[in-house]
């Protein structure tokens, strides 16, 4: 288990990956940086997320993973992952399911940047993060943590920080969100989903992965 400070990298583009990283506490992101310093955030990681399950199969990182907040994460060796998947079929299936959901989220992010307007982009991102946090017990009623800065929101949505600021003001004025400090409140989630053209099907939260839940029963190893 490792702990790093906000703005530190877990691993950088060009590094040789060795371990699979599991976020335990805090927020992280996957990102790419251009030669002139411009950054695109490609994914947010919250507690319970694995960062690139299969990345250790590559010789070199083609992106970076950095901490947005103080971060606690577990480094799991590739050999351990392989042994778990070979010994426990349900763990193997769960990790495969998680990889498919991650790909679905990435597709939706592409649509978000390519087709939605500024209001829809930010509102859609807030809906996604709220539902993901709720799925892992990180919400309190209609409130969730939101430690992401306006600059980071801009980097994730393809907008400028100024445009993000104006759009957040509009969302606040319309009563769709209450964003204060490091907390986000969504008074009417259904309305925010409607405004952002959000459909949660790509998150696959409707118990499709319930059969892989370790809390659902004993995980039995393969018996040879």
């Amino acid at each position: 288990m490792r702990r790093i400070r906000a703005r530190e990298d877990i691993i950088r583009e060009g590094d040789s990956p060795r371990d699979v990283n599991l976020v335990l506490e805090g927020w992280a992101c996957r990102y790419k940086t251009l030669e002139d310093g411009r950054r695109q955030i490609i994914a947010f990681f919250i507690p319970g997320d694995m960062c690139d399950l299969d990345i250790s199969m590559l010789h070199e990182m083609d992106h970076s993973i950095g901490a947005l907040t103080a971060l606690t994460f577990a480094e799991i060796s590739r050999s351990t992952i392989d042994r778990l998947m070979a010994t426990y079929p349900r763990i193997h299936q769960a990790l495969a399911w998680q990889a498919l959901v991650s790909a679905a989220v990435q597709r939706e992010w592409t649509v978000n940047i390519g087709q939605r307007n500024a209001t829809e982009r930010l509102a859609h991102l807030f809906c996604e993060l709220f539902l993901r946090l709720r799925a892992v017990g990180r919400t309190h009623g209609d409130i969730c943590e939101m430690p992401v800065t306006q600059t980071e929101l801009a980097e994730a949505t393809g907008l400028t920080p100024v445009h993000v600021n104006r759009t957040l003001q509009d969302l606040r004025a319309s009563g769709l969100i209450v964003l204060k400090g490091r907390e986000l409140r969504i008074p009417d989630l259904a309305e925010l989903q409607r405004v952002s053209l959000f459909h949660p099907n790509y998150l696959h939260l409707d118990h499709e992965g319930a059969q892989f839940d370790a809390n659902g029963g004993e995980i039995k190893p393969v018996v040879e």
Side-chain angles (χ1 to χ4, degrees):
M1 188 170 67
R2 287 184 55 198
R3 295 182 178 88
I4 60 175
R5 294 173 296 182
R7 316 297 171 231
E8 290 186 7
D9 285 328
I10 297 175
I11 191 167
R12 296 177 182 173
E13 185 170 356
D15 290 349
S16 297
R18 295 173 301 174
D19 303 311
V20 175
N21 298 300
L22 171 64
V23 176
L24 301 175
E25 195 66 43
W27 285 46
C29 70
R30 178 188 294 128
Y31 70 91
K32 293 274 291 185
T33 303
L34 299 180
E35 291 181 0
D36 61 4
R38 285 176 292 169
R39 185 172 79 155
Q40 179 70 44
I41 291 178
I42 306 167
F44 287 121
F45 297 115
I46 62 173
D49 284 340
M50 277 191 170
C51 309
D52 296 327
L53 176 62
D54 297 318
I55 200 65
S56 60
M57 299 173 66
L58 301 178
H59 294 296
E60 181 179 311
M61 289 288 292
D62 56 27
H63 63 274
S64 302
I65 299 174
L68 296 173
T69 68
L71 191 73
T72 303
F73 64 99
E75 291 180 333
I76 309 173
S77 69
R78 184 72 232 182
S79 61
T80 298
I81 292 288
D82 290 342
R83 185 172 64 254
L84 285 171
M85 291 195 296
T87 307
Y88 301 98
R90 231 166 72 191
I91 290 180
H92 190 178
Q93 293 174 320
L95 294 177
W97 180 83
Q98 186 263 344
L100 290 172
V101 173
S102 295
V105 171
Q106 205 67 69
R107 287 191 291 271
E108 195 67 25
W109 275 48
T110 301
V111 174
N112 208 36
I113 291 177
Q115 296 298 324
R116 293 187 177 94
N117 62 36
T119 297
E120 293 166 348
R121 289 185 201 184
L122 281 174
H124 194 280
L125 180 60
F126 287 149
C127 288
E128 176 188 304
L129 292 172
F130 182 85
L131 290 180
R132 287 171 58 192
L133 289 163
R134 189 170 70 179
V136 294
R138 293 279 175 154
T139 60
H140 303 280
D142 57 5
I143 296 173
C144 69
E145 60 179 323
M146 189 57 57
V148 184
T149 67
Q150 291 189 20
T151 297
E152 290 159 350
L153 287 173
E155 291 170 338
T157 56
L159 303 170
T160 66
V162 172
H163 201 169
V164 166
N165 183 273
R166 289 199 301 264
T167 305
L168 289 176
Q169 290 182 34
D170 291 341
L171 288 170
R172 287 188 180 103
S174 60
L176 290 170
I177 66 167
V178 179
L179 187 59
K180 188 175 182 180
R182 296 164 63 91
E183 282 191 347
L184 169 69
R185 177 170 171 258
I186 302 177
D188 189 340
L189 180 59
E191 179 62 14
L192 193 65
Q193 290 177 325
R194 186 193 67 79
V195 167
S196 62
L197 308 178
F198 181 91
H199 195 291
N201 63 339
Y202 71 97
L203 294 174
H204 300 280
L205 296 175
D206 50 355
H207 302 290
E208 289 184 37
Q211 68 269 34
F212 312 131
D213 186 357
N215 294 318
E218 182 184 1
I219 297 182
K220 297 180 180 180
V222 173
V223 178
E224 297 182 355

